C-alpha cells in the first residue's frame, strides 16, 4: 500500500478534527479526498506528511511509519500544502534550486530544468514567483513537491482559486503525473473528483462517510432516472402522472416538467402521450447522474 491510515484521531484542544479515520490507497491511484470546509482534510494530509502528529492511530507511507520514520516518509512523499506558500521574492529557478538543496539532490541544475519542463514552466522560468499568475504558481508548487521524485503526492486543494482555463491545465497536469505516481488530492468540489479521481473518499466532521470508486459513488446518487420535458402547451400534473412508468412529475416552470421515471423506455411513453393529446415535445433531456447528490446526502 502507498498510504495506510489506521484509526487516526486528531484532537485540537477539545475539538476532534479527525475521529477514528481508516483507509488505504493503492499504488498508482489518483484518490480524491472530498469534504466540506472544516471536515478534516488538511489535518489528515498534514499527519500523512509528518507536519503534525496524530493523537491516536497509525499512518504508514510506502510501509514507513510517520512517527517512527519521518525522514523516510518525507523522502517518499511530495506535498503541496493548502494556499501553496511560496517565497514570492525568489525567482522560479532559484526557488526550485533551493528546494532541491533542502532535499540534497545531486545534479540540481539538471533536475530543476527537468521539473520546469515537466510542469510547463518554460516561458515563466526567469520570473519572480510573485509575478506569476495563480495557475503558474501552482505549477511551481507541483514542481517543488516532485523535485525529489517521491512515489506519493499529497495535494491539498490544488485547483482552488484557479480560473476555468488554469483549472483545466492543472487538472490535465495532475492526471499526467498520476500515470507515474500515487496521488491523494483534497477538494470540496464534486466535479473535481469526477474529472480526475479513480477513487473518492468522502469525509465529514472528521469521519469517513464514503470510500468507493468515483464511478460507483456517482451511480448511488441516481435514485431514479429523471427526464426534463418541455411541452408546447399547458398540461396538468394529473394528466402526466397517468403515463405508464412515471413515478412522479414535478412542474419546473410554465410547460417544463421533471419526470422521475422507471427506465429509459418511458421516453417513448411520453412521446406517445404527447401525440395522442395533440402536444408537441419541444425538448426532452436526461438529467446526468452525479456525485453531487451523494455528497450532499452524506455531508448534510
Ligand atoms: P478542511 O481542510 O477539511 O477544511 P481542516 O483539517 O483544516 O479541515 O480543519 C478541521 C477542523 O479542525 C476545523 O474545525 C478546524 O477549525 C480545526 N482546526 C484545524 N487546524 C486547527 C488548529 N491548528 N487548531 C485548532 N483547530 C484546528
Ligand atoms: Mg483544508
Amino acid at each position: 500500500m502507498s498510504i495506510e491510515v489506521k484509526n487516526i484521531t486528531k484532537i485540537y484542544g477539545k475539538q476532534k478534527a479527525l475521529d477514528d479515520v481508516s483507509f488505504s490507497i493503492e499504488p498508482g491511484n489518483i484518490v480524491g479526498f472530498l469534504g466540506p470546509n472544516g471536515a478534516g482534510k488538511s489535518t489528515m494530509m498534514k499527519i500523512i506528511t509528518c507536519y503534525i502528529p496524530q493523537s491516536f492511530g497509525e499512518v504508514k507511507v510506502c510501509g514507513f511509519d510517520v512517527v517512527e520514520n519521518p525522514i523516510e516518509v518525507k523522502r517518499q512523499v511530495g506535498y503541496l500544502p493548502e494556499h501553496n506558500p511560496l517565497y514570492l521574492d525568489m525567482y522560479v529557478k532559484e526557488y526550485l534550486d533551493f528546494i532541491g538543496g533542502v532535499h540534497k539532490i545531486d545534479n540540481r541544475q539538471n533536475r530543476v530544468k527537468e521539473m520546469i519542463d515537466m510542469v510547463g514552466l518554460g516561458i515563466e522560468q526567469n520570473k519572480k514567483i510573485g509575478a506569476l499568475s495563480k495557475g503558474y504558481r501552482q505549477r511551481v508548487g507541483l514542481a517543488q513537491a516532485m523535485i525529489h521524485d517521491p512515489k506519493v503526492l499529497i495535494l491539498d486543494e490544488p485547483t482552488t482559486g484557479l480560473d476555468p482555463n488554469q483549472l483545466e491545465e492543472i487538472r490535465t497536469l495532475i492526471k499526467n503525473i498520476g500515470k507515474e505516481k500515487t496521488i491523494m488530492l483534497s477538494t470540496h468540489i464534486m466535479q473535481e473528483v469526477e474529472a480526475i479521481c479513480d477513487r473518492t473518499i468522502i469525509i465529514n466532521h472528521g469521519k469517513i462517510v464514503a470510500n468507493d470508486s468515483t464511478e460507483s459513488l456517482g451511480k448511488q446518487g441516481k435514485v431514479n432516472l429523471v427526464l426534463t420535458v418541455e411541452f408546447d402547451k399547458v398540461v396538468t400534473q394529473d394528466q402526466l402522472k397517468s403515463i405508464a412508468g412515471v413515478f412522479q412529475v414535478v412542474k419546473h416552470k410554465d410547460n417544463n416538467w421533471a419526470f422521475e421515471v422507471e427506465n429509459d423506455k418511458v421516453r417513448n411513453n411520453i412521446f406517445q402521450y404527447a401525440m395522442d393529446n395533440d402536444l408537441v415535445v419541444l425538448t426532452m433531456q436526461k438529467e446526468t447522474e452525479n456525485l453531487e447528490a451523494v455528497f450532499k446526502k452524506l455531508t448534510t
Side-chain angles (χ1 to χ4, degrees):
M1 283 295 163
S2 289
I3 302 176
E4 273 179 279
V5 172
K6 279 191 198 151
N7 309 109
I8 284 293
T9 293
K10 174 70 186 179
I11 298 167
Y12 292 117
K14 284 181 185 161
Q15 188 193 358
K16 250 188 202 172
L18 295 171
D19 187 1
D20 201 24
V21 168
S22 300
F23 61 86
S24 50
I25 295 179
E26 284 170 42
N29 272 3
I30 303 185
V31 174
F33 200 42
L34 177 65
N37 287 326
K41 304 182 294 295
S42 297
T43 301
M44 190 67 244
M45 291 182 144
K46 286 176 196 161
I47 294 171
I48 295 171
T49 52
C50 306
Y51 273 77
I52 58 169
Q54 66 269 39
S55 307
F56 304 103
E58 187 183 271
V59 177
K60 282 187 178 156
V61 179
C62 301
F64 298 103
D65 188 282
V66 291
V67 176
E68 283 162 20
N69 221 331
I71 293 176
E72 200 51 47
V73 170
K74 284 184 181 168
R75 207 168 280 161
Q76 310 286 343
V77 170
Y79 177 37
L80 176 62
E82 201 174 13
H83 312 307
N84 186 15
L86 294 168
Y87 297 100
L88 300 183
D89 276 335
M90 277 179 127
Y91 290 93
V92 172
K93 273 189 194 162
E94 181 193 13
Y95 173 71
L96 292 178
D97 185 67
F98 163 71
I99 299 291
V102 172
H103 288 292
K104 302 190 179 70
I105 287 165
D106 300 330
N107 206 348
R108 246 150 67 194
Q109 270 194 339
N110 266 343
R111 185 61 184 161
V112 168
K113 275 203 194 100
E114 263 176 44
M115 295 319 298
I116 284 172
D117 284 344
M118 195 186 296
V119 301
L121 268 169
I123 46 170
E124 306 286 279
Q125 62 178 306
N126 294 315
K127 289 188 182 168
K128 274 194 176 177
I129 293 171
L132 301 181
S133 69
K134 178 104 208 253
Y136 277 96
R137 285 186 199 183
Q138 286 305 75
R139 289 173 197 250
V140 176
L142 285 170
Q144 68 75 29
M146 292 193 295
I147 198 160
H148 57 302
D149 198 22
K151 293 200 180 78
V152 178
L153 276 179
I154 306 287
L155 311 176
D156 197 351
E157 308 225 8
T159 62
T160 297
L162 299 182
D163 74 33
N165 294 330
Q166 297 168 336
L167 186 79
E168 195 49 46
E169 287 164 13
I170 296 294
R171 279 181 183 167
T172 305
L173 184 57
I174 292 172
K175 270 195 264 187
N176 281 331
I177 295 167
K179 287 176 190 154
E180 317 243 307
K181 300 192 185 294
T182 308
I183 298 182
M184 176 181 186
L185 71 89
S186 73
T187 175
H188 58 273
I189 307 162
M190 283 71 59
Q191 288 83 342
E192 184 99 322
V193 294
E194 285 177 318
I196 324 185
C197 304
D198 315 310
R199 280 188 87 74
T200 300
I201 298 171
I202 304 181
I203 183 170
N204 190 37
H205 293 306
K207 284 192 165 104
I208 304 289
V209 291
N211 180 355
D212 209 339
S213 74
T214 307
E215 201 190 350
S216 54
L217 268 178
K219 282 184 182 143
Q220 284 180 30
K222 192 180 71 171
V223 188
N224 283 304
L225 185 61
V226 174
L227 301 171
T228 50
V229 183
E230 186 183 5
F231 296 106
D232 67 330
K233 286 196 261 322
V234 177
V235 244
T236 68
Q237 193 178 29
D238 282 343
Q239 289 174 300
L240 299 176
K241 254 195 200 157
S242 67
I243 300 171
V246 171
F247 294 133
Q248 257 203 59
V249 205
V250 180
K251 190 172 179 172
H252 272 329
K253 56 171 199 242
D254 302 330
N255 303 327
N256 261 292
W257 296 85
F259 287 80
E260 195 178 322
V261 300
E262 202 174 342
N263 55 42
D264 260 336
K265 292 188 185 126
V266 181
R267 284 194 272 199
N268 297 333
N269 303 353
I270 295 172
F271 278 117
Q272 189 61 51
Y273 176 87
M275 285 211 309
D276 294 348
N277 292 278
D278 197 26
L279 284 166
V280 179
V281 174
L282 297 176
T283 59
M284 183 181 287
Q285 211 173 331
K286 192 165 151 181
E287 294 298 310
T288 51
E289 53 190 318
N290 59 14
L291 259 187
E292 195 157 337
V294 180
F295 179 74
K296 279 195 183 137
K297 201 167 70 192
L298 293 171
T299 60
T300 49

PDB file of all heavy atoms in Angstrom, residues 36-43 45-46 82-83 156-157 186, ligand 2:
ATOM      1  N   PRO A  36     -16.629  18.973   2.860  1.00  0.00           N
ATOM      2  CA  PRO A  36     -16.870  20.409   3.021  1.00  0.00           C
ATOM      3  C   PRO A  36     -15.755  21.061   3.837  1.00  0.00           C
ATOM      4  O   PRO A  36     -14.939  20.374   4.451  1.00  0.00           O
ATOM      5  CB  PRO A  36     -18.207  20.458   3.759  1.00  0.00           C
ATOM      6  CG  PRO A  36     -18.398  19.122   4.367  1.00  0.00           C
ATOM      7  CD  PRO A  36     -17.601  18.137   3.567  1.00  0.00           C
ATOM      8  N   ASN A  37     -15.741  22.377   3.865  1.00  0.00           N
ATOM      9  CA  ASN A  37     -14.738  23.095   4.657  1.00  0.00           C
ATOM     10  C   ASN A  37     -14.831  22.684   6.117  1.00  0.00           C
ATOM     11  O   ASN A  37     -15.924  22.544   6.652  1.00  0.00           O
ATOM     12  CB  ASN A  37     -14.940  24.599   4.529  1.00  0.00           C
ATOM     13  CG  ASN A  37     -14.517  25.092   3.163  1.00  0.00           C
ATOM     14  OD1 ASN A  37     -13.564  24.562   2.572  1.00  0.00           O
ATOM     15  ND2 ASN A  37     -15.226  26.073   2.644  1.00  0.00           N
ATOM     16  N   GLY A  38     -13.675  22.472   6.726  1.00  0.00           N
ATOM     17  CA  GLY A  38     -13.652  22.104   8.134  1.00  0.00           C
ATOM     18  C   GLY A  38     -13.848  20.622   8.395  1.00  0.00           C
ATOM     19  O   GLY A  38     -13.899  20.187   9.544  1.00  0.00           O
ATOM     20  N   ALA A  39     -13.919  19.804   7.334  1.00  0.00           N
ATOM     21  CA  ALA A  39     -14.181  18.371   7.500  1.00  0.00           C
ATOM     22  C   ALA A  39     -12.989  17.629   8.099  1.00  0.00           C
ATOM     23  O   ALA A  39     -13.144  16.569   8.699  1.00  0.00           O
ATOM     24  CB  ALA A  39     -14.549  17.754   6.155  1.00  0.00           C
ATOM     25  N   GLY A  40     -11.780  18.177   7.917  1.00  0.00           N
ATOM     26  CA  GLY A  40     -10.585  17.497   8.434  1.00  0.00           C
ATOM     27  C   GLY A  40      -9.594  17.077   7.355  1.00  0.00           C
ATOM     28  O   GLY A  40      -8.638  16.353   7.636  1.00  0.00           O
ATOM     29  N   LYS A  41      -9.804  17.544   6.141  1.00  0.00           N
ATOM     30  CA  LYS A  41      -8.947  17.132   5.013  1.00  0.00           C
ATOM     31  C   LYS A  41      -7.495  17.563   5.223  1.00  0.00           C
ATOM     32  O   LYS A  41      -6.580  16.746   5.132  1.00  0.00           O
ATOM     33  CB  LYS A  41      -9.479  17.741   3.696  1.00  0.00           C
ATOM     34  CG  LYS A  41     -10.915  17.400   3.382  1.00  0.00           C
ATOM     35  CD  LYS A  41     -11.366  17.985   2.065  1.00  0.00           C
ATOM     36  CE  LYS A  41     -11.428  19.512   2.022  1.00  0.00           C
ATOM     37  NZ  LYS A  41     -12.429  20.102   2.934  1.00  0.00           N
ATOM     38  N   SER A  42      -7.310  18.869   5.491  1.00  0.00           N
ATOM     39  CA  SER A  42      -5.928  19.360   5.642  1.00  0.00           C
ATOM     40  C   SER A  42      -5.254  18.710   6.839  1.00  0.00           C
ATOM     41  O   SER A  42      -4.061  18.381   6.785  1.00  0.00           O
ATOM     42  CB  SER A  42      -5.917  20.886   5.801  1.00  0.00           C
ATOM     43  OG  SER A  42      -6.419  21.490   4.640  1.00  0.00           O
ATOM     44  N   THR A  43      -6.010  18.524   7.910  1.00  0.00           N
ATOM     45  CA  THR A  43      -5.450  17.883   9.105  1.00  0.00           C
ATOM     46  C   THR A  43      -4.922  16.490   8.758  1.00  0.00           C
ATOM     47  O   THR A  43      -3.793  16.126   9.119  1.00  0.00           O
ATOM     48  CB  THR A  43      -6.524  17.799  10.209  1.00  0.00           C
ATOM     49  OG1 THR A  43      -6.966  19.123  10.517  1.00  0.00           O
ATOM     50  CG2 THR A  43      -5.998  17.125  11.455  1.00  0.00           C
ATOM     51  N   MET A  45      -3.993  15.377   5.862  1.00  0.00           N
ATOM     52  CA  MET A  45      -2.841  15.478   4.958  1.00  0.00           C
ATOM     53  C   MET A  45      -1.577  15.908   5.696  1.00  0.00           C
ATOM     54  O   MET A  45      -0.481  15.438   5.384  1.00  0.00           O
ATOM     55  CB  MET A  45      -3.176  16.442   3.824  1.00  0.00           C
ATOM     56  CG  MET A  45      -4.233  15.836   2.907  1.00  0.00           C
ATOM     57  SD  MET A  45      -4.622  16.889   1.527  1.00  0.00           S
ATOM     58  CE  MET A  45      -4.879  15.647   0.246  1.00  0.00           C
ATOM     59  N   LYS A  46      -1.746  16.771   6.691  1.00  0.00           N
ATOM     60  CA  LYS A  46      -0.576  17.190   7.478  1.00  0.00           C
ATOM     61  C   LYS A  46      -0.026  16.026   8.299  1.00  0.00           C
ATOM     62  O   LYS A  46       1.187  15.945   8.533  1.00  0.00           O
ATOM     63  CB  LYS A  46      -0.957  18.345   8.411  1.00  0.00           C
ATOM     64  CG  LYS A  46      -1.132  19.673   7.691  1.00  0.00           C
ATOM     65  CD  LYS A  46      -1.595  20.747   8.659  1.00  0.00           C
ATOM     66  CE  LYS A  46      -2.147  21.954   7.932  1.00  0.00           C
ATOM     67  NZ  LYS A  46      -2.985  22.784   8.810  1.00  0.00           N
ATOM     68  N   GLU A  82      -2.122  23.464   1.331  1.00  0.00           N
ATOM     69  CA  GLU A  82      -3.214  24.372   1.004  1.00  0.00           C
ATOM     70  C   GLU A  82      -2.624  25.791   0.918  1.00  0.00           C
ATOM     71  O   GLU A  82      -1.714  26.135   1.655  1.00  0.00           O
ATOM     72  CB  GLU A  82      -4.232  24.293   2.153  1.00  0.00           C
ATOM     73  CG  GLU A  82      -5.603  24.749   1.799  1.00  0.00           C
ATOM     74  CD  GLU A  82      -6.580  24.505   2.955  1.00  0.00           C
ATOM     75  OE1 GLU A  82      -6.144  24.228   4.078  1.00  0.00           O
ATOM     76  OE2 GLU A  82      -7.788  24.612   2.692  1.00  0.00           O
ATOM     77  N   HIS A  83      -3.118  26.618   0.056  1.00  0.00           N
ATOM     78  CA  HIS A  83      -2.665  28.003  -0.148  1.00  0.00           C
ATOM     79  C   HIS A  83      -1.228  28.088  -0.669  1.00  0.00           C
ATOM     80  O   HIS A  83      -0.674  29.166  -0.770  1.00  0.00           O
ATOM     81  CB  HIS A  83      -2.774  28.846   1.138  1.00  0.00           C
ATOM     82  CG  HIS A  83      -4.090  28.723   1.819  1.00  0.00           C
ATOM     83  ND1 HIS A  83      -5.277  28.943   1.150  1.00  0.00           N
ATOM     84  CD2 HIS A  83      -4.431  28.359   3.079  1.00  0.00           C
ATOM     85  CE1 HIS A  83      -6.284  28.737   1.991  1.00  0.00           C
ATOM     86  NE2 HIS A  83      -5.799  28.365   3.157  1.00  0.00           N
ATOM     87  N   ASP A 156      -3.107  19.420  -1.465  1.00  0.00           N
ATOM     88  CA  ASP A 156      -4.224  19.950  -0.677  1.00  0.00           C
ATOM     89  C   ASP A 156      -4.924  21.074  -1.454  1.00  0.00           C
ATOM     90  O   ASP A 156      -4.381  22.160  -1.584  1.00  0.00           O
ATOM     91  CB  ASP A 156      -3.713  20.454   0.680  1.00  0.00           C
ATOM     92  CG  ASP A 156      -4.835  20.620   1.695  1.00  0.00           C
ATOM     93  OD1 ASP A 156      -6.011  20.507   1.312  1.00  0.00           O
ATOM     94  OD2 ASP A 156      -4.526  20.864   2.884  1.00  0.00           O
ATOM     95  N   GLU A 157      -6.097  20.789  -1.957  1.00  0.00           N
ATOM     96  CA  GLU A 157      -6.891  21.727  -2.767  1.00  0.00           C
ATOM     97  C   GLU A 157      -6.058  22.383  -3.873  1.00  0.00           C
ATOM     98  O   GLU A 157      -5.954  23.606  -3.946  1.00  0.00           O
ATOM     99  CB  GLU A 157      -7.540  22.787  -1.862  1.00  0.00           C
ATOM    100  CG  GLU A 157      -8.317  22.156  -0.714  1.00  0.00           C
ATOM    101  CD  GLU A 157      -9.687  22.776  -0.497  1.00  0.00           C
ATOM    102  OE1 GLU A 157     -10.120  23.593  -1.326  1.00  0.00           O
ATOM    103  OE2 GLU A 157     -10.335  22.415   0.507  1.00  0.00           O
ATOM    104  N   SER A 186      -7.070  16.702  -2.160  1.00  0.00           N
ATOM    105  CA  SER A 186      -8.282  17.081  -1.444  1.00  0.00           C
ATOM    106  C   SER A 186      -9.010  18.158  -2.227  1.00  0.00           C
ATOM    107  O   SER A 186      -8.415  18.899  -3.009  1.00  0.00           O
ATOM    108  CB  SER A 186      -7.936  17.614  -0.060  1.00  0.00           C
ATOM    109  OG  SER A 186      -7.359  18.894  -0.166  1.00  0.00           O
TER     110      SER A 186
HETATM  111 MG1  LIG B   2      -8.189  22.383   4.172  1.00  0.00          MG
END
